[in-house]
């Protein structure tokens, strides 16, 4: 779930200039486009100043030209208050400036293209943040970006009536006071140690949306109609053909001192990853964000393509839904802790890493990335592949095989639908492994692939599924996972879409962000890692990387190269990139 909160469905906070979702993509949190023609050219146009006899120096930035970025998922909406999937985050990062951005190490910074003029002033008690905007920042309709936009965005997101997935990042705010047109003072109700990352966010325009009723804001045309979506980034949103492409063109009135070199970006959407990669190999696209590992060697051998692969801030998981209403017989089979542990033992996670990820992933036992400061290490329970142990735990929890060999309990058959996004070759393979592994212990799994944007909007966000295979893309380095695992954040105001409740874990999240000292926080997250890996709202599968491929027309300085450790790092500093003809 390239996925927003601090996560994006893979979900969501996003930035071209230094960030990730959501969900997803992630994600998070994550889940590409053309001109209106049926087959847009992926070749970059030459700079207006280039001549036929003297091609431009590839080492020197030139203005003009275009690139085509591919995807196999469409967007949902790019309204900053609601983005929580990767595809929407991609588009949002192209057309919106962030209040603050992230540097390559994941630190919050005020870049030349950030809306803020400088890092915030923070009071000694950690409860007051003073933020100053650049005085020249403007929206694409010519209106200034002001303190009213900060106040509107934060106050709307923290209001449960708005149903923002990012509510947990801002609901510790007490007041947002306008000091002058460029300055706000934000007071917190309590210490919230990750709050600086909450300011790594785009803003919504108060002058456009302030009179829209909160309960109708998510379905408002703003964010889904290019003609009605006012933005403030280097490029403007010019077209969206659903399921086909989006286009973005450099805004001639962009306020920043650093202007984008690339004139046009097309985000072209393909039916699946294999078709997407074939388009890259043929030269129909210039960049692909996620090459399937089954095709990685072929892409690497292609002359003129550069591949970047490293473990990223993404982890895949299988989520259980605990809400009875989501099952035909009004009974969730996942409520027994031993049952969930049995499923974890039944899944050959290491086999997934070895055979599907080709050894490029790392097993995960909790929502904290391996090697990060919050990694609980051995405190988290590791579930080795053990089908016999799984069978015993299921029997202990009251499940017995019927005449067909499928487990039953109290008249309920252990059968469920496992949803994932269609076209994702990795998840198609993993879903097949899950189906077979669980069949071996008497559980009937029905994998179902669904088009990504419809799936996120209709199933994932409102929590209407039985089980799903998805990933979170961590949009900043802080380990706070309250929005997805706390019972305070059931849909629509939050990302706990599985309707999971654990009061001990609810308290641990609060304790974890209520202290500043990192060593104290580490102790708390070790306890949280133990608790969540024991109780298992998810089966945590693995951390993985997304192989990014770019063709030889895309250029950037070393300081602006893509950064795989960031959720949207494949577009890191893209405002500074340029293109030359093939």
């Amino acid at each position: 779930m390239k996925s927003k909160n601090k996560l994006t469905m893979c979900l969501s906070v996003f930035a071209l200039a230094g960030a990730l979702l959501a969900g997803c993509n992630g994600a998070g949190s994550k889940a590409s486009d053309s001109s209106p023609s049926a087959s847009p050219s992926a070749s970059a146009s030459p700079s207006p100043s280039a001549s036929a006899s003297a091609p431009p120096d590839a080492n020197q930035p030139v203005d003009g030209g275009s690139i085509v970025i591919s995807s196999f998922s469409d967007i949902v909406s790019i309204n900053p208050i609601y983005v929580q999937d990767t595809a929407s985050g991609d588009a949002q990062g192209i057309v919106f400036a962030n209040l603050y951005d992230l540097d390559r190490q994941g630190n919050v910074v005020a870049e030349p293209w950030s809306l803020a003029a400088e890092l915030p002033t923070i009071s000694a008690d950690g409860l007051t943040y003073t933020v100053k905007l650049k005085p020249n920042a403007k929206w694409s309709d010519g209106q200034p970006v002001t303190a009213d936009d900060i106040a509107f965005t934060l106050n709307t997101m923290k209001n449960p009536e708005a149903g923002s997935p990012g509510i947990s990042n801002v609901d510790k705010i007490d007041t947002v006071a306008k000091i002058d047109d460029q300055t706000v003072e934000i007071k917190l109700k309590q210490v919230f140690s990750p709050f600086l990352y909450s300011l790594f966010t785009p803003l919504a325009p108060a002058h456009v949306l302030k009179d829209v009723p909160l309960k109708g804001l998510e379905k408002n045309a703003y964010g889904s109609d290019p003609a009605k979506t006012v933005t403030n980034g280097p490029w403007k949103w010019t077209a969206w053909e659903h399921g086909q492409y989006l286009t973005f063109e450099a805004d001639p009135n962009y306020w920043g001192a650093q202007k984008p070199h690339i004139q046009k970006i097309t985000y072209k959407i393909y039916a699946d990853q294999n078709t997407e990669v074939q388009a890259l190999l043929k030269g129909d696209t210039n960049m692909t964000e996620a090459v399937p590992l089954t095709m990685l060697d072929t892409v690497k051998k292609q002359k003129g393509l550069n591949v970047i692969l490293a473990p990223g801030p993404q982890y895949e998981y299988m989520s259980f839904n605990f809400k009875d209403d989501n099952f035909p017989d009004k009974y969730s089979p996942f409520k027994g802790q031993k049952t969930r542990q049995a499923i974890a033992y039944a899944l050959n996670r290491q086999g997934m890493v070895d055979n599907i990820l080709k050894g490029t992933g790392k097993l995960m036992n909790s929502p904290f990335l391996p090697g990060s400061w919050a990694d609980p290490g051995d405190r988290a329970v590791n579930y080795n592949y053990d089908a016999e142990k799984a069978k015993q735990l299921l029997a202990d929890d009251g499940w017995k095989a019927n005449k067909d060999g499928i487990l039953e309990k109290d008249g309920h058959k252990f059968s469920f639908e496992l949803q994932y996004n269609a076209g994702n070759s990795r998840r198609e393979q993993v879903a097949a492994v899950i189906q077979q592994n669980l069949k071996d212990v008497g559980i009937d799994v029905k994998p179902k692939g669904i088009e990504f944007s419809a799936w996120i909007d209709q199933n994932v966000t409102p929590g209407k599924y039985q089980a799903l295979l998805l990933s979170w893309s961590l949009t900043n380095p802080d380990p706070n996972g309250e929005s997805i695992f706390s019972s305070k954040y059931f849909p629509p105001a939050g990302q706990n879409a599985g309707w999971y409740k654990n009061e001990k874990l609810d308290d641990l999240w609060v304790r974890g962000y209520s202290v500043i000292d990192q060593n104290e926080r580490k102790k708390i997250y070790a306890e949280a890692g133990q608790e969540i890996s024991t109780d298992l709202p998810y089966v945590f599968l693995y951390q993985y990387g997304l192989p990014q491929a770019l063709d030889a027309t895309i250029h950037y300085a070393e300081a602006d190269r893509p950064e795989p450790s960031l959720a949207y790092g494949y577009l890191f500093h893209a405002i500074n990139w340029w293109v030359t003809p093939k």
Side-chain angles (χ1 to χ4, degrees):
M1 298 181 181
K2 277 58 228 266
S3 155
K4 282 229 144 56
N5 144 47
K6 76 173 199 82
L7 307 162
T8 296
M9 295 177 187
C10 197
L11 260 138
S12 303
V13 185
F14 322 83
L16 266 182
L20 174 41
L21 139 137
C24 93
N25 243 296
S29 198
K30 279 169 181 250
S32 302
D33 66 68
S34 91
S35 59
S37 61
S39 300
S41 172
S43 300
S45 303
S47 162
S49 61
S51 67
S53 59
D57 183 349
N59 296 314
Q60 295 298 318
V62 293
D63 294 336
S66 63
I67 62 171
V68 177
I69 301 173
S70 69
S71 175
F72 59 94
S73 301
D74 205 346
I75 69 167
V76 179
S77 167
I78 65 170
N79 183 330
I81 293 168
Y82 294 104
V83 170
Q84 66 169 334
D85 65 278
T86 302
S88 299
D90 287 341
Q92 179 183 255
I94 293 170
V95 297
F96 283 95
N98 285 320
L99 186 57
Y100 291 99
D101 285 292
L102 298 184
D103 66 12
R104 194 175 295 282
Q105 290 72 42
N107 302 305
V108 175
V109 291
E111 297 281 16
W113 43 83
S114 304
L115 296 170
E118 58 194 28
L119 286 174
T121 301
I122 306 173
S123 63
D125 61 7
L127 295 177
T128 304
Y129 290 67
T130 303
V131 176
K132 292 183 177 294
L133 290 166
K134 292 186 175 80
N136 59 324
K138 289 183 172 59
W139 295 98
S140 55
D141 62 0
Q143 294 295 309
V145 177
T146 72
D148 293 328
D149 300 311
I150 300 178
F152 172 79
T153 302
L154 298 181
N155 285 329
T156 301
M157 289 178 67
K158 77 186 187 82
N159 190 326
E161 288 190 20
S164 172
I167 187 172
S168 69
N169 287 338
V170 295
D171 62 356
K172 287 78 177 173
I173 294 174
D174 186 14
T175 59
V176 184
K178 178 180 177 180
I179 306 303
D180 57 42
D181 282 348
Q182 275 77 48
T183 312
V184 297
E185 184 179 81
I186 304 168
K187 289 187 177 294
L188 304 183
K189 303 172 187 175
Q190 64 177 89
V191 170
F192 182 53
S193 52
F195 185 68
L196 189 58
Y197 287 110
S198 301
L199 301 178
F200 164 46
T201 181
L203 302 178
H207 68 284
V208 175
L209 297 175
K210 63 181 179 180
D211 295 325
V212 178
L214 284 182
K215 291 189 175 180
L217 185 57
E218 185 175 9
K219 299 302 180 183
N220 187 268
Y222 183 86
S224 58
D225 183 346
K228 297 180 180 179
T229 304
V230 176
T231 58
N232 54 20
W235 293 271
K236 296 191 300 183
W237 190 16
T238 51
W240 180 21
E241 285 293 329
H242 292 245
Q244 298 182 52
Y245 63 83
L246 297 87
T247 58
F248 313 93
E249 297 190 19
D251 185 351
N253 299 312
Y254 171 60
W255 55 272
Q258 170 64 53
K259 311 296 183 185
H261 297 300
I262 298 171
Q263 176 61 34
K264 183 176 181 179
I265 299 174
T266 301
Y267 192 83
K268 185 164 173 41
I269 303 158
Y270 290 87
D272 54 55
Q273 286 182 296
N274 293 330
T275 308
E276 186 184 354
V277 172
Q278 289 300 328
L280 177 73
L281 296 173
K282 291 190 297 183
D284 292 339
T285 67
N286 305 99
M287 188 181 100
T288 298
E289 297 165 4
V291 178
L293 290 168
T294 54
M295 302 183 72
L296 188 57
D297 288 343
T298 300
V299 173
K300 285 181 175 180
K301 292 174 183 176
Q302 181 84 353
K303 184 178 180 180
L305 292 179
N306 177 35
V307 176
I308 300 170
L309 173 60
Q314 300 90 215
Y315 70 84
E316 201 116 71
Y317 61 88
M318 175 184 169
S319 171
F320 305 121
N321 201 304
F322 296 88
K323 192 172 185 178
D324 290 333
D325 290 348
N326 289 305
F327 296 82
D329 55 358
K330 305 299 180 184
Y331 176 84
S332 170
F334 303 121
K335 292 184 178 179
Q337 186 186 85
K338 288 184 178 180
T339 292
R340 300 193 297 276
Q341 293 174 344
I343 292 174
Y345 278 117
L347 297 184
N348 188 355
R349 300 184 300 144
Q350 188 63 54
M352 296 174 190
V353 171
D354 294 342
N355 301 315
I356 299 175
L357 299 187
K358 308 298 182 184
T360 64
K362 297 179 181 179
L363 289 182
M364 294 273 292
N365 297 314
S366 74
F368 309 111
L369 291 179
S372 68
W373 66 262
D375 180 3
D378 292 341
R379 289 286 299 273
V381 180
N382 179 47
Y383 294 88
N384 293 317
Y385 178 44
D386 191 335
E388 293 308 310
K389 189 167 186 175
K391 291 176 183 178
Q392 184 59 58
L393 285 167
L394 289 165
D396 291 347
D397 215 17
W399 294 96
K400 297 180 180 179
N402 63 17
K403 59 182 177 61
D404 298 319
I406 303 301
L407 297 177
E408 289 188 354
K409 180 180 180 180
D410 300 329
H412 302 282
K413 185 179 178 181
F414 206 153
S415 176
F416 65 89
E417 180 181 84
L418 176 65
Q419 299 180 2
Y420 62 93
N421 56 311
N424 186 311
S425 61
R426 181 185 69 255
R427 290 194 186 128
E428 288 173 352
Q429 295 175 75
V430 171
V433 172
I434 292 173
Q435 181 183 38
Q436 183 59 55
N437 285 168
L438 294 188
K439 180 181 179 181
D440 292 344
V441 298
I443 300 172
D444 177 46
V445 181
K446 298 178 175 64
K448 183 177 181 179
I450 306 173
E451 191 278 322
F452 186 76
S453 60
W455 180 47
I456 295 298
D457 189 41
Q458 298 170 22
N459 300 93
V460 178
T461 299
K464 295 180 179 180
Y465 59 87
Q466 296 173 16
L468 56 77
L469 178 62
L470 194 54
S471 64
W472 284 116
S473 183
L474 308 182
T475 58
N476 69 65
D478 195 89
N480 177 35
E482 186 182 41
S483 183
I484 27 176
F485 298 112
S486 171
S487 59
K488 290 162 55 178
Y489 297 107
F490 291 142
Q495 296 173 301
N496 185 352
W499 306 91
Y500 170 68
K501 184 173 183 178
N502 179 323
E503 293 181 357
K504 180 180 179 180
L505 197 58
D506 287 355
D507 179 63
L508 285 169
W509 295 124
V510 176
R511 287 171 52 197
Y513 61 62
S514 297
V515 294
I516 300 297
D517 182 76
Q518 190 175 99
N519 288 327
E520 289 301 312
R521 296 186 75 199
K522 180 177 176 63
K523 295 176 185 177
I524 295 167
Y525 291 128
E527 188 176 353
Q530 183 178 41
E531 178 64 24
I532 200 168
S533 63
T534 300
D535 203 40
L536 289 183
Y538 293 176
V539 175
F540 299 94
L541 298 175
Y542 44 76
Q543 178 191 17
Y544 65 99
L546 296 172
Q548 176 183 3
L550 309 91
D551 74 11
T553 68
I554 298 177
H555 304 275
Y556 41 78
E558 174 61 21
D560 304 316
R561 60 178 167 77
E563 178 48 63
S565 70
L566 298 175
Y568 281 90
Y570 43 75
L571 290 170
F572 188 73
H573 289 191
I575 191 173
N576 292 330
W577 295 6
W578 70 97
V579 295
T580 55
K582 290 184 177 180

